[in-house]
């Protein structure tokens, strides 16, 4: 039998990573709460949509696993938890990888569930011994990590490690903020009006100069949720399930989430975006690439901080929304 060889999860931060938020305890907590928010957003009663039959799964991989929140949630499912023990009938094995291992839980926690963690850049080929190994690959929130070329490579690598007929589960978002659900482009639109989003003279334009501006600066997709069917088809996948969600922040939580979820997560939805935007704004400012809605450069730290204050106030006072999409695609 071949020996499994996987890259070490040794807390080395690879130089190719585009993740700019510090690996500190608050960030780990934010990522965990962000996962709770996504479950509420998509109205999941489970970490996987009901179209997925867990009884048919034997090897599952969580890519860009971060804190392994999804992996742990999946491990708790009926039909999964009892199949994780070494001596279990029809044993199910869980794997989790990330380009950075700094957010992984303590090894004792992953070992308890038999989760194999390893370091992996999704834009690079996976180890040969993982080829056609997995029944399900889960990928989440790489929209501010992968370039357009990076997505093409990553989807090909996900295809390679899936068994014939294997399932790829994706949930991603577009880095554009709108002030109201009625402003969001239709699901069958060609995409976003970037000029309008960036040049809006209100706080929304400032938010998008940060959020969308970072995506454009790094060559990320700004319309990923619209492009996925095309990208997946080119990589050899067939979309079997898709659900779009309008992600609220601030006051819009009351109309787009359940009453209990709005009460629990309303403040987080604002703080989460403010936290992210603050780091993105700082990175753009440091490169001399942060701009106002009229296109002029933000040249002082005071102007940058004022910009962020306006965005935070707008989110709290009016609320904002963005687009997310969850897809299940089959390897054909």
């Amino acid at each position: 039998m071949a020996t499994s060889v996987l890259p070490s999860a040794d807390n080395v931060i690879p130089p190719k990573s585009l993740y700019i938020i510090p690996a500190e305890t608050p960030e780990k907590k934010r990522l965990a709460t962000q996962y709770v928010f996504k479950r509420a957003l998509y109205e999941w009663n489970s970490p996987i949509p009901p179209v997925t039959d867990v009884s048919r799964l034997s090897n599952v991989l969580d890519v860009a696993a971060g804190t392994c929140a999804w992996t742990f949630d999946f491990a708790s499912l009926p039909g999964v938890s009892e199949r994780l023990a070494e001596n279990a009938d029809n044993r199910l094995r869980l794997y989790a990888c990330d380009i950075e291992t700094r957010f992984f839980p303590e090894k004792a926690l992953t070992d308890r569930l038999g989760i194999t963690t390893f370091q992996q850049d999704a834009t690079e080929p996976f180890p040969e011994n993982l080829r056609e190994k997995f029944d399900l690959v889960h990928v989440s929130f790489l929209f501010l990590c992968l370039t357009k070329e990076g997505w093409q490579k990553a989807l090909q690598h996900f295809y390679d490690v899936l068994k014939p007929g294997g399932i790829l589960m994706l949930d991603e978002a577009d880095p554009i903020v709108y002030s109201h659900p009625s402003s969001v482009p239709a699901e069958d639109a060609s995409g976003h009006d970037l000029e309008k989003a960036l040049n809006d003279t209100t706080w929304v334009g400032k938010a998008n100069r940060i959020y969308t501006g970072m995506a454009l600066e790094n060559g990320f997709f700004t319309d990923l949720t619209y492009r996925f069917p095309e990208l997946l088809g080119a990589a050899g996948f067939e979309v079997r399930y898709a659900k779009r969600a309008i992600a609220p922040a601030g006051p819009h939580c009351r109309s787009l989430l359940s009453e209990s979820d709005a009460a629990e997560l309303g403040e987080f939805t604002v703080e989460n975006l403010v936290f992210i935007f603050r780091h993105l704004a700082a990175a753009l400012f440091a490169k001399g690439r942060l701009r106002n809605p009229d296109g002029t450069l933000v040249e002082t730290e005071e102007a940058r901080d004022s910009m962020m204050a306006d965005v935070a106030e707008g989110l709290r006072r009016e609320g904002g929304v963005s687009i997310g999409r969850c897809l299940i695609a089959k390897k054909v």
Side-chain angles (χ1 to χ4, degrees):
M1 181 179 294
T3 301
S4 176
V5 178
L6 296 173
S8 173
D10 57 5
N11 291 313
V12 174
I13 301 175
K16 291 179 66 176
S17 173
L18 297 175
Y19 197 83
I20 66 170
I21 300 176
E24 299 169 350
T25 299
E27 173 61 354
K28 293 181 180 181
K29 182 179 179 181
R30 184 189 73 83
L31 291 173
T33 308
Q34 183 172 265
Y35 177 69
V36 173
F37 173 58
K38 283 195 293 183
R39 279 200 57 164
L41 185 63
Y42 288 106
E43 299 178 317
W44 289 345
N45 294 318
S46 163
I48 55 175
V51 294
T52 306
D53 183 358
V54 298
S55 69
R56 296 179 177 272
L57 307 178
S58 57
N59 291 288
V60 172
L61 172 64
D62 189 10
V63 176
T67 62
C68 293
W70 182 89
T71 318
F72 281 115
D73 198 15
F74 179 82
S76 70
L77 284 175
V80 172
S81 57
E82 61 269 26
R83 294 172 55 202
L84 297 178
E86 260 188 62
N87 59 352
D89 292 334
N90 191 24
R91 186 182 178 193
L92 194 155
R93 291 174 170 82
L94 302 179
Y95 296 75
C97 68
D98 206 312
I99 191 173
E100 300 173 357
T101 63
R102 54 186 178 159
F103 294 122
F104 282 164
E106 293 180 6
K107 192 172 184 298
L109 295 176
T110 53
D111 284 350
R112 188 182 63 189
L113 295 175
I115 301 171
T116 300
T117 59
F118 62 100
Q119 189 173 63
Q120 178 68 40
D121 179 349
T123 65
E124 297 292 337
F126 283 69
E128 184 62 28
N129 62 298
L130 297 184
R131 188 176 183 86
E132 295 193 348
K133 181 179 183 67
F134 298 102
D135 307 282
L136 172 68
V137 171
H138 169 260
V139 184
S140 179
F141 268 34
L142 287 178
F143 69 103
L144 286 183
C145 296
L146 294 184
T147 64
K148 297 174 183 180
E149 181 184 6
W151 270 110
Q152 293 171 333
K153 290 180 178 179
L155 289 173
Q156 186 58 61
H157 299 325
F158 302 153
Y159 184 94
D160 291 341
V161 298
L162 279 165
K163 297 176 182 176
I167 296 298
L168 176 63
M169 177 179 174
L170 295 152
D171 70 88
E172 294 292 342
D174 291 338
I176 297 178
V177 174
Y178 293 91
S179 61
H180 194 275
S182 63
S183 304
V184 172
E187 196 163 356
D188 61 355
S190 60
H192 304 272
D193 185 337
L194 291 186
E195 184 176 353
K196 183 177 180 181
L198 292 168
N199 298 337
D200 187 305
T201 57
T202 70
W203 67 269
V204 176
K206 295 178 181 181
N208 287 324
R209 283 291 178 173
I210 297 169
Y211 203 17
T212 317
M214 176 58 80
L216 293 171
E217 176 69 18
N218 286 283
F220 302 145
F221 280 109
T222 58
D223 56 354
L224 187 59
T225 67
Y226 290 94
R227 297 288 297 277
F228 258 141
E230 168 196 339
L231 290 166
L232 288 165
F237 290 96
E238 180 181 281
V239 176
R240 293 297 184 90
Y241 167 94
K243 182 174 183 178
R244 183 167 92 152
I246 306 301
H252 292 308
C253 290
R254 293 192 292 270
S255 59
L256 294 175
L257 297 178
S258 70
E259 184 176 351
S260 60
D261 286 334
E264 178 185 357
L265 297 167
E267 182 61 23
F268 170 78
T269 62
V270 173
E271 294 302 325
N272 186 44
L273 285 180
V274 170
F275 179 83
I276 293 169
F277 289 0
R278 185 171 291 119
H279 283 279
L280 300 183
L284 284 171
F285 179 79
K287 295 171 68 175
R289 304 291 290 178
L290 181 61
R291 295 185 179 275
N292 293 298
D294 64 4
T296 60
L297 281 173
V298 176
E299 297 182 318
T300 67
E301 292 184 359
E302 291 78 9
R304 180 199 64 194
D305 294 344
S306 176
M307 186 180 198
M308 270 305 312
D310 288 346
V311 171
E313 174 60 23
L315 286 167
R316 291 192 176 93
R317 184 183 66 253
E318 298 179 29
V321 295
S322 57
I323 298 175
R325 189 183 295 271
C326 175
L327 299 101
I328 295 287
K330 182 178 180 180
K331 176 178 176 176
V332 295

